[in-house]
mmCIF file of all heavy atoms in Angstrom:
data_model
loop_
_atom_site.group_PDB
_atom_site.id
_atom_site.type_symbol
_atom_site.label_atom_id
_atom_site.label_comp_id
_atom_site.label_asym_id
_atom_site.label_seq_id
_atom_site.Cartn_x
_atom_site.Cartn_y
_atom_site.Cartn_z
ATOM 1 N N ASN S 1046 -63.839 25.054 44.294
ATOM 2 C CA ASN S 1046 -63.186 23.767 44.047
ATOM 3 C C ASN S 1046 -61.731 23.828 44.506
ATOM 4 O O ASN S 1046 -60.984 24.678 44.021
ATOM 5 C CB ASN S 1046 -63.201 23.416 42.549
ATOM 6 C CG ASN S 1046 -64.594 23.074 42.079
ATOM 7 O OD1 ASN S 1046 -65.427 22.686 42.899
ATOM 8 N ND2 ASN S 1046 -64.858 23.256 40.804
ATOM 9 N N ALA S 1138 -16.196 5.907 55.107
ATOM 10 C CA ALA S 1138 -17.630 5.652 55.244
ATOM 11 C C ALA S 1138 -18.359 6.971 55.493
ATOM 12 O O ALA S 1138 -17.867 7.842 56.204
ATOM 13 C CB ALA S 1138 -17.873 4.690 56.402
ATOM 14 N N GLU S 1145 -17.409 13.034 62.093
ATOM 15 C CA GLU S 1145 -16.198 13.873 62.165
ATOM 16 C C GLU S 1145 -16.516 15.353 61.974
ATOM 17 O O GLU S 1145 -15.830 16.223 62.510
ATOM 18 C CB GLU S 1145 -15.171 13.428 61.113
ATOM 19 C CG GLU S 1145 -14.402 12.198 61.539
ATOM 20 C CD GLU S 1145 -13.600 11.587 60.390
ATOM 21 O OE1 GLU S 1145 -13.098 12.343 59.530
ATOM 22 O OE2 GLU S 1145 -13.496 10.347 60.348
ATOM 23 N N CYS S 1164 -32.782 4.165 60.807
ATOM 24 C CA CYS S 1164 -31.369 3.819 61.048
ATOM 25 C C CYS S 1164 -30.841 2.712 60.142
ATOM 26 O O CYS S 1164 -29.647 2.413 60.194
ATOM 27 C CB CYS S 1164 -31.158 3.463 62.515
ATOM 28 S SG CYS S 1164 -31.987 1.939 63.018
ATOM 29 N N ARG S 1192 -32.524 -5.883 62.963
ATOM 30 C CA ARG S 1192 -32.721 -5.655 64.393
ATOM 31 C C ARG S 1192 -31.566 -6.202 65.248
ATOM 32 O O ARG S 1192 -31.008 -5.483 66.088
ATOM 33 C CB ARG S 1192 -34.042 -6.293 64.867
ATOM 34 C CG ARG S 1192 -34.254 -6.145 66.376
ATOM 35 C CD ARG S 1192 -35.537 -6.812 66.849
ATOM 36 N NE ARG S 1192 -36.725 -6.161 66.319
ATOM 37 C CZ ARG S 1192 -37.249 -5.025 66.792
ATOM 38 N NH1 ARG S 1192 -36.683 -4.407 67.806
ATOM 39 N NH2 ARG S 1192 -38.328 -4.514 66.252
ATOM 40 N N GLU S 1202 -29.895 1.021 73.263
ATOM 41 C CA GLU S 1202 -30.967 0.565 74.157
ATOM 42 C C GLU S 1202 -31.950 -0.316 73.413
ATOM 43 O O GLU S 1202 -32.357 -1.363 73.886
ATOM 44 C CB GLU S 1202 -31.786 1.778 74.648
ATOM 45 C CG GLU S 1202 -31.181 2.580 75.756
ATOM 46 C CD GLU S 1202 -32.026 3.842 76.030
ATOM 47 O OE1 GLU S 1202 -33.189 3.932 75.574
ATOM 48 O OE2 GLU S 1202 -31.502 4.742 76.705
ATOM 49 N N SER S 1206 -39.688 -0.041 65.915
ATOM 50 C CA SER S 1206 -40.138 -0.272 64.537
ATOM 51 C C SER S 1206 -41.544 0.283 64.290
ATOM 52 O O SER S 1206 -42.105 0.085 63.220
ATOM 53 C CB SER S 1206 -40.092 -1.760 64.204
ATOM 54 O OG SER S 1206 -40.853 -2.482 65.146
ATOM 55 N N SER S 1277 -33.106 24.402 54.822
ATOM 56 C CA SER S 1277 -33.104 25.293 55.984
ATOM 57 C C SER S 1277 -34.501 25.855 56.235
ATOM 58 O O SER S 1277 -34.928 25.999 57.388
ATOM 59 C CB SER S 1277 -32.122 26.444 55.765
ATOM 60 O OG SER S 1277 -30.811 25.948 55.623
ATOM 61 N N THR S 1324 -31.820 25.143 41.307
ATOM 62 C CA THR S 1324 -32.029 23.724 41.612
ATOM 63 C C THR S 1324 -33.039 23.127 40.634
ATOM 64 O O THR S 1324 -32.816 22.055 40.063
ATOM 65 C CB THR S 1324 -32.535 23.573 43.059
ATOM 66 O OG1 THR S 1324 -31.659 24.290 43.926
ATOM 67 C CG2 THR S 1324 -32.577 22.111 43.489
ATOM 68 N N ALA S 1340 -22.720 10.358 22.354
ATOM 69 C CA ALA S 1340 -21.726 10.560 21.293
ATOM 70 C C ALA S 1340 -20.583 9.542 21.377
ATOM 71 O O ALA S 1340 -19.833 9.361 20.422
ATOM 72 C CB ALA S 1340 -21.175 11.979 21.370
ATOM 73 N N GLN S 1364 -29.965 2.818 27.418
ATOM 74 C CA GLN S 1364 -30.353 1.421 27.148
ATOM 75 C C GLN S 1364 -29.159 0.476 27.227
ATOM 76 O O GLN S 1364 -28.949 -0.370 26.363
ATOM 77 C CB GLN S 1364 -31.069 1.345 25.810
ATOM 78 C CG GLN S 1364 -32.341 2.203 25.878
ATOM 79 C CD GLN S 1364 -33.183 2.183 24.630
ATOM 80 O OE1 GLN S 1364 -32.654 2.155 23.526
ATOM 81 N NE2 GLN S 1364 -34.487 2.192 24.816
ATOM 82 N N PRO S 1386 -18.972 -5.472 34.178
ATOM 83 C CA PRO S 1386 -17.908 -5.396 35.188
ATOM 84 C C PRO S 1386 -17.680 -3.986 35.729
ATOM 85 O O PRO S 1386 -17.900 -3.000 35.017
ATOM 86 C CB PRO S 1386 -16.660 -5.880 34.440
ATOM 87 C CG PRO S 1386 -16.966 -5.660 32.987
ATOM 88 C CD PRO S 1386 -18.460 -5.821 32.836
ATOM 89 N N ALA S 1397 -9.838 3.295 25.778
ATOM 90 C CA ALA S 1397 -11.291 3.387 25.935
ATOM 91 C C ALA S 1397 -11.711 4.815 26.287
ATOM 92 O O ALA S 1397 -10.887 5.646 26.682
ATOM 93 C CB ALA S 1397 -11.747 2.429 27.040
ATOM 94 N N ARG S 1414 -7.258 14.516 37.786
ATOM 95 C CA ARG S 1414 -6.444 13.578 38.569
ATOM 96 C C ARG S 1414 -6.201 12.277 37.796
ATOM 97 O O ARG S 1414 -5.090 11.753 37.763
ATOM 98 C CB ARG S 1414 -7.170 13.300 39.896
ATOM 99 C CG ARG S 1414 -6.495 12.330 40.818
ATOM 100 C CD ARG S 1414 -7.073 12.405 42.232
ATOM 101 N NE ARG S 1414 -8.518 12.231 42.296
ATOM 102 C CZ ARG S 1414 -9.139 11.059 42.209
ATOM 103 N NH1 ARG S 1414 -8.445 9.965 42.008
ATOM 104 N NH2 ARG S 1414 -10.459 10.992 42.296
#
Side-chain angles (χ1 to χ4, degrees):
N1046 290 337
E1145 281 168 35
C1164 67
R1192 177 182 294 281
E1202 281 174 15
S1206 56
S1277 298
T1324 309
Q1364 299 182 323
R1414 179 165 55 78

